Amino acid sequence: MRSLFRRPFNTTSRQSSVNSRRFDLPRLAGLTCLMFVLSMTVVTTTANAGLGLGNQGAVGGVMIDPGGNVRAATLQEQKEMAETVRAAIQGPTGDLADATGKRVVSLAKLQQALREMHETGGRLDDETAFLAGLQRIEYVVVDEENNDILLVGPAEPWEVRADGAVVGKQSGGSVLRLDDLVAAFRSVEEARREGGIRCSIEPTAEGRQRLRGFLKNVKLRPGQNPAFLEAGMREAFGPQMVTLAGVAPDSRFARTLVAADFEMKRIAMALTESPVKGLPSYLEMAKNKRQSAAQSPRWWMACNYDAVARDADGQVWKISGQGVKTMTEEDIVAADGSVESDGRKDPLAVKWADTMTEKYDALSKERPVFRDLRNVMDLAVIATLITQEQLDQRSGIDLNVLRGGDSLIETAHYVLPQSLAPQCSFIHGRAGWTVTASGGVNINAFGIVENQVEQPELQTLVSVRDADHSSRWWWDGK
């Protein structure tokens, strides 16, 4: 991987890279299909952004313009993006070229490696940016003997997809990212204050009012296709607002939430073709069904984990479960455009949500943004577990580097759009129009961590400790 201080965006960034005592996580960390819903204005802070790829317009099969408007990227644009990413990273070598079911990451040694990079002006290499190819973190081990915390999970060599996403060669799942781990640690206390990490893309009350007025004047003749009205309906509806809470809004973590929410609704509302057999759009399922103009289905993605298992001494912890589920309820739209919910659920919307949950793993392989969402949920749960259970204090490790207390790591910063062009669909049923436009992501990591069960047999996992006492920050366990 190229030096972090190479190929600056501008002379200001070049100068700051010389004067700064910090290094940035590379802009490579954002080079996935996550960019497609975002205005790609990049804010560089104290150090050069590194690879200088943040201003690319096409990624993940979608092209964006400076105003945040989106369209399908051409095959040529996707090819160019993949070539850019491939030129920026190196393929895994040595042990990293082999898949394993139990790769171990030492947080103590990882932090030491980051300190050494900082002190020597070295490079943040691919194995660090991609956390040694981890696909998931299944276990957290408290290593009091070495004042360490170990993260354990399956890992694979990585490759670049045709759309520029970096995924495991065997599973096709997005790899875990160092800057998402950093964002997860740094968001714990903010998420505690905010009651979790949340994202939503919502229409405004004024837009709902304008749409209601527009539809009052619409008279369809029997058998007339309402498709010709959609341009006017979208214009009346207006832009949708992006809101984030519990995590830094300029982080890659936050971009993942926005992108996954956006893509979920595009699939639900038939704004893009579903890539998975057996997962039709909600609009397809709702054809010719009775619709109500006063109600609108909302979908959001939430955590879907088993109870967190631990051994009797709280030295070994296991995190399992699919990770993500899709949920729904009905929005009740008032005359002034405001909405509320009384907990009612449309059976068809429930069926669509359940189907997406069932097909989530398959969907994640076709659209890596959904695996990225599971990854950041996993990391939020891990960071919350370590903080809430004070595992760092029990092990004697100081996580100041990852938590940002010493300002050693400067992560990439991106300006998120405050609004997006309307992404919504309209169903004209026997009882009127239904508008489907709302959704979001909700990560309640504290609720996951509080749900615990004891499994004494987990103690056997102490074998993953580094018996050879190597200087490398990762190794493969037995």
Side-chain angles (χ1 to χ4, degrees):
M1 190 177 212
R2 297 188 176 110
S3 169
L4 294 176
F5 302 113
R6 191 172 179 181
R7 295 172 63 186
F9 287 114
N10 52 50
T11 55
T12 301
S13 294
R14 185 187 300 273
Q15 185 63 39
S16 65
S17 69
V18 174
N19 296 335
S20 174
R21 292 289 297 166
R22 295 186 283 186
F23 63 87
D24 281 7
L25 295 184
R27 205 58 70 186
L28 171 67
L31 296 181
T32 67
C33 60
L34 306 181
M35 297 185 205
F36 64 84
V37 298
L38 308 173
S39 169
M40 290 310 297
T41 305
V42 177
V43 179
T44 55
T45 53
T46 60
N48 168 37
L51 298 175
L53 302 175
N55 58 355
Q56 297 294 319
V59 68
V62 178
M63 171 63 75
I64 62 168
D65 65 24
N69 299 309
V70 300
R71 63 170 174 81
T74 66
L75 292 177
Q76 180 61 30
E77 289 165 342
Q78 293 184 50
K79 178 181 177 181
E80 290 173 358
M81 189 59 193
E83 289 173 350
T84 302
V85 178
R86 290 190 182 105
I89 69 174
Q90 299 174 352
T93 59
D95 291 342
L96 288 173
D98 298 325
T100 176
K102 196 178 287 186
R103 184 149 293 161
V104 186
V105 169
S106 159
L107 293 187
K109 292 182 179 180
L110 173 60
Q111 288 193 133
Q112 182 57 35
L114 292 171
R115 289 190 188 97
E116 291 174 0
M117 292 177 198
H118 163 66
E119 292 168 358
T120 62
R123 304 175 180 182
L124 188 67
D125 50 32
D126 296 350
E127 70 179 67
T128 309
F130 298 135
L131 289 176
L134 277 178
Q135 283 284 305
R136 196 162 198 193
I137 298 171
E138 296 179 336
Y139 301 95
V140 177
V141 179
V142 178
D143 185 359
E144 295 182 12
E145 181 180 350
N146 297 296
N147 303 124
D148 202 355
I149 292 176
L150 309 178
L151 308 181
V152 186
E156 301 175 18
W158 54 85
E159 63 181 0
V160 182
R161 279 177 30 135
D163 59 7
V166 181
V167 301
K169 284 186 177 181
Q170 291 189 355
S171 68
S174 299
V175 295
L176 294 177
R177 306 293 188 101
L178 173 62
D179 64 338
D180 289 336
L181 176 63
V182 171
F185 270 115
R186 297 181 182 182
S187 71
V188 172
E189 294 307 322
E190 182 179 355
R192 189 194 306 276
R193 292 191 298 270
E194 295 288 342
I197 297 173
R198 299 185 304 279
C199 161
S200 66
I201 305 174
E202 304 281 349
T204 64
E206 294 78 11
R208 291 189 182 96
Q209 273 190 309
R210 286 194 301 268
L211 180 62
R212 184 179 289 249
F214 178 90
L215 293 176
K216 281 183 178 179
N217 298 317
V218 171
K219 302 295 183 182
L220 290 177
R221 297 188 300 272
Q224 185 177 14
N225 189 336
F228 75 97
L229 295 168
E230 290 200 4
M233 294 168 74
R234 293 180 196 278
E235 182 178 357
F237 210 35
Q240 294 170 244
M241 311 308 294
V242 178
T243 60
L244 286 156
V247 67
D250 58 355
S251 64
R252 181 185 183 276
F253 192 119
R255 296 192 310 129
T256 300
L257 306 183
V258 175
D261 178 21
F262 185 84
E263 188 68 359
M264 173 189 64
K265 290 192 296 184
R266 280 166 46 85
I267 294 172
M269 299 180 295
L271 297 172
T272 186
E273 185 176 354
S274 170
V276 175
K277 184 178 180 180
L279 178 62
S281 70
Y282 170 76
L283 266 65
E284 184 177 346
M285 294 171 62
K287 279 182 180 178
N288 302 318
K289 304 296 183 182
R290 186 175 181 84
Q291 306 296 335
S292 170
Q295 292 181 295
S296 176
R298 166 194 298 270
W299 294 279
W300 71 95
M301 289 170 287
C303 293
N304 186 24
Y305 293 87
D306 302 328
V308 175
R310 58 176 175 79
D311 67 355
D313 297 327
Q315 301 293 304
V316 181
W317 301 74
K318 180 181 180 181
I319 295 86
S320 60
Q322 180 168 292
V324 186
K325 61 183 175 183
T326 306
M327 304 180 70
T328 185
E329 63 182 15
E330 288 289 310
D331 279 344
I332 310 301
V333 184
D336 63 357
S338 62
V339 296
E340 61 181 22
S341 176
D342 59 6
R344 284 184 290 178
K345 301 177 181 180
D346 169 35
L348 278 176
V350 171
K351 182 178 180 180
W352 189 87
D354 291 345
T355 302
M356 181 176 173
T357 299
E358 177 188 344
K359 301 290 184 180
Y360 196 86
D361 285 345
L363 185 61
S364 296
K365 294 177 183 178
E366 298 296 328
R367 301 285 170 87
V369 64
F370 293 110
R371 176 61 71 86
D372 279 298
L373 177 63
R374 195 197 72 180
N375 287 353
V376 299
M377 284 189 175
D378 281 358
L379 293 174
V381 171
I382 296 299
T384 302
L385 171 66
I386 291 172
T387 302
Q388 190 77 350
E389 296 296 326
Q390 301 180 337
L391 302 187
D392 52 336
Q393 297 180 33
R394 294 175 58 181
S395 68
I397 186 176
D398 183 352
L399 292 173
N400 210 35
V401 173
L402 293 175
R403 287 189 170 131
D406 59 7
S407 301
L408 188 151
I409 298 177
E410 180 67 26
T411 56
H413 296 280
Y414 301 89
V415 175
L416 283 170
Q418 298 300 307
S419 62
L420 296 174
Q423 299 291 325
C424 48
S425 291
F426 310 93
I427 308 170
H428 186 253
R430 294 195 299 269
W433 294 88
T434 292
V435 181
T436 61
S438 300
V441 177
N442 184 10
I443 304 176
N444 180 12
F446 290 95
I448 302 301
V449 170
E450 289 171 359
N451 183 23
Q452 299 179 12
V453 62
E454 187 173 315
Q455 291 183 3
E457 63 272 19
L458 289 176
Q459 183 62 32
T460 59
L461 213 70
V462 297
S463 61
V464 300
R465 292 172 181 168
D466 186 11
D468 298 329
H469 302 288
S470 65
S471 60
R472 194 165 65 181
W473 57 267
W474 61 269
W475 59 90
D476 291 340
K478 302 271 192 266

